[in-house]
Amino acid sequence: MFVTENLEVNEQNHLTIGGVDTIALAEKYGTPLYVMDEDMIRQNCRIYKDAIDRDYNGNGLILYASKAFSCLHMYRIVREEGLGVDVVSGGELYTALKAGMDPEKIYFHGNNKTDDEIELAVSNNVGRLVVDNFLELEHINRIAKEKNKTVSILFRIKPGIDAHTHAFIRTGQIDSKFGFALETGEAFEAVKSASEYKNLKIAGIHCHIGSQIFELEPFQEAAKVMCGFIAEVKDKLDIVMDELNLGGGFGIKYTEKDDPVAYDQYIDAVASVIKTCCWEAGIKLPKILMEPGRSIVASAGITLYTIGNVKNIPGIRKYVSVDGGMTDNPRYILYQSEYEAAIANKASDPRDDIVTIAGKCCESGDLIQENTKLQQAEAGDVLAVFATGAYNYSMASNYNRIPRPPVVMVSGGKDKLILKRESYEDLIRNDL
Ligand code: LLP
């Protein structure tokens, strides 16, 4: 009935998530409210972990791309499930360390890491730094030398794969701010020059071709190209690279139209290509890493809002305004992302109206969705927007000085607050 299978309707005609009544949650915690299904998050972690363990006989590791949703509780879940993490900033790194992540399982990305961030990573013995550019090689080597350490690095490679997704979230092609290009020989030069730095250890290569990708082929293509590069480096420079990190980007079901491949099938399909390529090139199978973010958390989350005014402009459209908007979900204004929604207190009523869901910011573009199906909306109804677990909380802002909503996790039919609602006092905390 709904786009995600953990959403159902109870006898009061209320929407439930993971068996918990969303109206009761809205009453208990207020709205706007993010609700996430911890059991589903853990299940997703296990699907990925089991597949990679099986396909590579234990020589693989799933790194949760924590930019999708990051906070202490989320890193703890990931740690307990035996995954590592991808972090892209000092803030994510700090949070992961505070949550007790094993530093060896932290991979630090970013196209413009500051010295402070590199120092934080090196002092805490973070497993790998993923190097983006030539200047960064120098910086990491200098900082490692100062601290009398050797830092293991991966190279961020642009494999030249054009995955069909929104231009802003496409990263594997040559015109991208991320990484070293393969076809120009830049990547090869980077490996060569890194081999001359005394405090760097070359561990392997990394690529990420984009996000919300539904096809298998771009991942398989990327795997082939990357294996070819490992073979070339071994052949020409006699450097053995032991790790291949293929990034994330697996698509999820935002609307009924989306038809994602099962995550373990992605892993299996890529594994067979990697094994064939390595065998043909005569190279040892490297340790394989993958970095799913969205597909671990997106479907596990919903956002609950209270509907305020309903404004019908005859012959034009009907606006249904909610008490949140682009501040808690900027994905429509940024990418025109599609979402489905329902009125949680009228959950099984037919969605027979077509409306535009608007936020409360002082901005015309502050919309959650246009021309979407909904039940007949009235002030005071609770609106649920589905599949908001990824890149919503993590991209939320305080525009118009709107406090960020809290996050509640449900598990085994129980709810638990994991992130508090920001208060007005929080908003002025750093004001002088
Ligand atoms: N690894 C790297 C190096 C990445 O850059 C990303 C995403 C991932 C892994 C995880 O990709 P995922 O499995 O989540 O698709 N804010 C955008 C998404 C930006 C993704 C950036 N990098 C959105 O809301 O759609």
Side-chain angles (χ1 to χ4, degrees), residues 1-2 7-10 12-16 21-23 26 31 302-310 318-322 339-357 372-386:
M1 181 174 193
F2 302 110
L7 302 173
E8 284 170 2
V9 182
N10 65 15
Q12 285 128 298
N13 201 15
H14 292 176
L15 179 77
T16 63
D21 186 319
T22 56
I23 301 305
T31 58
I302 60 171
T303 310
L304 299 177
Y305 302 98
T306 301
I307 293 175
N309 72 74
V310 178
K318 189 190 269 187
Y319 284 98
V320 172
S321 292
V322 296
Y339 284 100
E340 292 189 2
I343 295 182
N345 49 305
K346 301 172 177 168
S348 65
D349 292 9
R351 283 185 266 176
D352 56 4
D353 207 359
I354 299 292
V355 305
T356 288
I357 301 168
T372 192
K373 285 187 301 173
L374 201 65
Q375 294 92 338
Q376 297 295 323
E378 292 160 288
D381 283 342
V382 173
L383 181 84
V385 178
F386 306 140

Side-chain angles (χ1 to χ4, degrees), residues 65 67-68 86 109 156 169 171 178 206 208 210-212 247-250 254 291-295 331 335 337 390-391 395:
K67 69 209 80 182
D86 140 0
H109 292 272
R156 169 80 186 241
I169 49 179
T171 55
F178 297 105
H206 165 268
H208 171 76
S211 209
Q212 186 60 0
F250 314 110
Y254 282 107
E291 297 175 332
R294 187 191 312 272
S295 51
R331 297 192 71 256
Y335 321 118
S337 302
Y391 303 111
M395 290 173 73

Side-chain angles (χ1 to χ4, degrees), residues 150-202:
T150 303
V151 173
S152 290
I153 57 165
L154 302 187
F155 297 89
R156 169 80 186 241
I157 307 289
K158 290 186 250 199
I161 308 294
D162 184 10
H164 305 284
T165 183
H166 193 287
F168 294 170
I169 49 179
R170 189 192 293 163
T171 55
Q173 78 287 10
I174 192 158
D175 180 10
S176 163
K177 69 170 182 165
F178 297 105
F180 300 98
L182 263 191
E183 55 259 64
T184 58
E186 191 187 23
F188 187 80
E189 285 309 311
V191 178
K192 212 158 105 187
S193 75
S195 67
E196 281 149 30
Y197 287 108
K198 300 247 173 336
N199 294 71
L200 301 182
K201 181 177 177 306
I202 297 173

Side-chain angles (χ1 to χ4, degrees), residues 34 36 41 63-71 74-75 78 85-89 92 208 211 248-250 252 254 291-299 301 328-331 335 339 387-396 407 409 419:
Y34 297 111
M36 298 184 76
I41 294 174
L63 304 172
Y64 165 62
S66 62
K67 69 209 80 182
F69 174 66
S70 110
C71 63
M74 186 62 208
Y75 287 113
V78 169
V85 287
D86 140 0
V87 299
V88 287
S89 70
E92 286 181 358
H208 171 76
S211 209
F250 314 110
I252 73 112
Y254 282 107
E291 297 175 332
R294 187 191 312 272
S295 51
I296 289 188
V297 285
S299 301
D328 58 80
N329 183 356
R331 297 192 71 256
Y335 321 118
Y339 284 100
T388 58
Y391 303 111
N392 272 233
Y393 173 79
S394 64
M395 290 173 73
V407 183
M409 286 269 176
L419 270 161

Side-chain angles (χ1 to χ4, degrees), residues 193-236:
S193 75
S195 67
E196 281 149 30
Y197 287 108
K198 300 247 173 336
N199 294 71
L200 301 182
K201 181 177 177 306
I202 297 173
I205 50 175
H206 165 268
C207 71
H208 171 76
I209 55 172
S211 209
Q212 186 60 0
I213 301 169
F214 290 114
E215 303 86 15
L216 289 171
E217 294 75 22
F219 293 104
Q220 293 177 312
E221 246 348 273
K224 267 191 219 162
V225 170
M226 297 291 274
C227 289
F229 186 59
I230 292 180
E232 183 188 347
V233 166
K234 176 166 180 287
D235 194 34
K236 297 191 181 149

Side-chain angles (χ1 to χ4, degrees), residues 73-97:
H73 188 78
M74 186 62 208
Y75 287 113
R76 288 187 204 115
I77 293 178
V78 169
R79 189 192 68 200
E80 286 166 14
E81 295 300 329
L83 273 53
V85 287
D86 140 0
V87 299
V88 287
S89 70
E92 286 181 358
L93 173 56
Y94 179 85
T95 316
L97 290 167

